[in-house]
Each structure stands twice: as structure tokens, then as C-alpha cells.
Amino acid sequence: GGCRGSDNSTIDGARDAHTESLPLVVVCGAGRSGTTLVADLLGMHSEMTPMYETDFIMTIVNYLDGEGAEYDELRRETLRFMDQWLVQLPSRERLSKAAHERYVHGLHHVRFSRELAIHATYRFLDEVRSGRPAVRSLADLAATLFADHARRDGGK
């Protein structure tokens, strides 16, 4: 089972990789409060990888929190936003790094695949439609994407 990406990864495989790895460390705060610096410092550790600009999570939370939001509206807006957000992702391969450097900084340093993100978003929406708690489904969406990001960022 599970949806396969072009690199033969699966949503279930990424989710399984997350559950077998160390827990996610989420750094959040107000703008200009030092969250990027904290993520940079944590990301310098050989077993951690930073991921920046995850505003897609808060956008989905805002859709879920909407007064009387219907499922069809949630689905339409989530898919519209994710499609736009994923198109805007620049491909940031490690071209600007020296061979000995292991750390990549950048507001758009997001390594999960577009294909996996789209499939994981559909899975999230299917789970919400079936009555699974939206917060749990959103946590699984984030875990799937973060696990794929970490795997592609050197297996940290």
C-alpha cells in the first residue's frame, strides 16, 4: 500500500521513518524573535536538519479554525494553497556549499518532494472527511513531510 513518489518513497514509508526517528523539534515564535537563529544553531548538529518557512501548516490550521468552515471549502482552499506554495519552492540543491560543509541555511531550504506533499495533503483531507481528528491528521501530514525532508537532507 501507500502512494509511491518518483524516488520510490511512500507516504507510509516517510511516516514510518518519522516514528522510528527522534521526535521533531518545532521552533516557533513571533517574527524577529530569534527563531531562525535557534533553527540555524540546532541545524548545525550532525543529527538534526532545519526546515524553514513551514507556513503551510499555519495556513491549514487557519482553514480548520474558520467559523463554520465546510469540508468542501477546506478541501478547495487547502489544495489551492498547497499547489501555490509548492510551486514557489525553489530547488535548492547543495550547489553553493563546499564539499566539507554539511549544513544548509535558507528560508526556502525545503527538501521534501512536491509529489509526496500533494499525496500527503490528499491523505490529510481524506482523513478529515472520514471523521479523524483534524489536528492528528495535520500532525501526520507534517511528520510525513518533515521525515522526507530529513531523509533527503542527508539522512539526519
Side-chain angles (χ1 to χ4, degrees):
C3 188
R4 293 209 172 271
S6 58
D7 64 351
N8 212 29
S9 63
T10 65
I11 292 174
D12 292 329
R15 194 177 280 179
D16 293 343
H18 162 72
T19 58
E20 293 174 7
S21 66
L22 295 174
L24 296 172
V25 175
V26 179
V27 177
C28 53
R32 310 218 30 93
S33 66
T35 56
T36 299
L37 176 61
V38 171
D40 286 347
L41 293 171
L42 290 171
M44 293 176 80
H45 190 282
S46 63
E47 294 183 19
M48 297 183 84
T49 180
M51 189 165 102
Y52 302 89
E53 299 301 317
T54 54
D55 58 329
F56 66 90
I57 294 172
M58 285 309 302
T59 299
I60 294 172
V61 166
N62 288 333
Y63 292 149
L64 290 170
D65 193 36
E67 299 276 332
E70 298 287 328
Y71 171 78
D72 290 339
E73 181 181 353
L74 167 69
R75 183 179 191 282
R76 182 179 58 253
E77 292 301 314
T78 298
L79 291 174
R80 182 190 58 76
F81 176 78
M82 286 299 285
D83 189 54
Q84 290 174 355
W85 192 84
L86 292 166
V87 166
Q88 294 174 5
L89 280 182
S91 176
R92 296 205 69 179
E93 299 301 324
R94 298 174 183 232
L95 300 176
S96 63
K97 293 180 56 161
H100 68 278
E101 292 180 306
R102 295 189 61 199
Y103 175 68
V104 177
H105 166 82
L107 294 179
H108 296 287
H109 179 61
V110 177
R111 303 289 302 252
F112 55 76
S113 74
R114 175 180 169 75
E115 185 178 32
L116 182 70
I118 292 294
H119 289 295
T121 300
Y122 276 103
R123 180 182 214 155
F124 158 75
L125 292 167
D126 288 345
E127 290 173 354
V128 170
R129 185 184 62 219
S130 71
R132 184 168 189 239
V135 172
R136 185 66 226 154
S137 297
L138 183 57
D140 283 350
L141 169 65
T144 297
L145 299 179
F146 291 5
D148 192 51
H149 167 84
R151 183 184 60 79
R152 290 168 180 269
D153 196 39
K156 297 183 198 175

